Amino acid sequence: MNKHIHLHRRTTAWAFLLLVLAAGEAVDASNARAQTASVQGIVLDSSSTQPVQGAEVTLEQGEQKVRGAVTDRNGLFQFGGMEPGRYTLRIESLGYVTHEETFVLKSGEARTANCSLQVDPVQLEGINVASQGPGAVRRKLGMQIITSQQLAQIPTPAATGDLVSYLKTQPGVVGTGDRGGQLFIRGGTPSEDLVLMDGMLVYEPFHITGLFSAFPEFLIQSADFFAGGFGAKYSGRMSSVLDVQMRDGNRNETEATGSASPFLSAASVEGPLLQKGRDSYLVSVRRSLIRETSPWLYGQKQPLGFDSEYFRMSELNADGGSRCSLTLMRSRDWGGLDPNDPVSHVGWTNLVIGGRCTKLVGATF
């Protein structure tokens, strides 16, 4: 009996000792994390105040590169678990002046290092092509990153580029003709395609003619197109994913544009909202002219039409490290086989309202 009691006391003593050691290690680890620092920031284009995606960000000590990262679609970069000390932050992107700044990270500091890159046009004396690249778009694990500049290179029946016209040039993408407004991607049905606008679901983003979409060139910042191989983040669809990032309005000056063609008319205005350089608005209106121009273009009236309105309000707080936006988009399509037969008419409407906010929190991670 005494032997069992003695053994029990010894086991309890060892368990208590292990518990004390584990608690001590946890405290030491917590203190170590509290002593580390972090660096984070948002990189913007100084002229357009739009986020710069894909900029190379490095932290250096002396001539040694300590950490490296690439900005995401919000222009955000983050470095966590940094040891206190003196660092040089270098931000580089093609077409921009390299930005450098040196600072001292203190223990437990969460430093915000926002940056506006100055545009620096690149002049090339010559180019040697060594191998065939992926084309006009950037590819990453089955994803194509499409920019508004690339949309402008594809001819459309309007005065500006459109995302649907670009997508139809991609392998495995087939669009229906008029009275359709749908894409079949690698054999999948349109209901198996997921289309997002700033993270918000859009059910019918392609207009009834099959020539235009709700995403014209002048409203898009970039678009991630997955024709397969997308992750669980985009669950709920089986064929493809189109994740569109819309741009903010001009925060520095007011601009107004307009265009017209036999198929489409469009107008937009953008500029500072309340405080120059901080907040902005962007309003766009588009309307088809097919019903009005088809009698003298085709000899008969085409019962097809669509219109859309887009509004975006955004705020950039560089000092506080936040970027927020509120977006509203409405589109309406209508058409039929016979202008005089209302039974054959079809139509649909989209109404998308949502907001997004990116905030750099002051916590070490």
Side-chain angles (χ1 to χ4, degrees), residues 283-300:
V283 180
S284 171
V285 179
R286 304 168 79 208
R287 185 179 185 278
S288 66
L289 301 176
I290 298 175
R291 288 195 302 179
E292 291 78 8
T293 59
S294 57
W296 58 273
L297 284 176
Y298 300 105
Q300 61 179 353

Side-chain angles (χ1 to χ4, degrees), residues 217-299:
E217 164 202 340
F218 56 87
L219 294 181
I220 294 179
Q221 177 183 327
S222 66
D224 296 341
F225 177 55
F226 298 84
F230 46 89
K233 173 184 177 181
Y234 302 107
S235 61
R237 295 297 189 274
M238 298 176 61
S239 180
S240 69
V241 173
L242 181 63
D243 191 356
V244 183
Q245 179 83 4
M246 311 299 281
R247 73 176 182 89
D248 297 334
N250 194 323
R251 295 185 176 89
N252 297 323
E253 57 184 358
T254 301
E255 296 180 346
T257 60
S259 63
S261 70
F263 295 91
L264 179 69
S265 62
S268 65
V269 60
E270 59 184 297
L273 186 60
L274 297 175
Q275 183 176 350
K276 186 176 181 180
R278 178 163 179 167
D279 45 37
S280 67
Y281 70 92
L282 173 59
V283 180
S284 171
V285 179
R286 304 168 79 208
R287 185 179 185 278
S288 66
L289 301 176
I290 298 175
R291 288 195 302 179
E292 291 78 8
T293 59
S294 57
W296 58 273
L297 284 176
Y298 300 105

Side-chain angles (χ1 to χ4, degrees), residues 68-84:
V70 176
T71 56
D72 62 10
R73 65 187 339 184
N74 293 308
L76 174 67
F77 68 90
Q78 296 176 326
F79 298 110
M82 302 296 302
E83 294 295 330

Side-chain angles (χ1 to χ4, degrees), residues 303 334-347:
W334 63 90
L337 299 175
D338 185 353
N340 301 318
D341 182 14
V343 179
S344 67
H345 288 188
V346 296

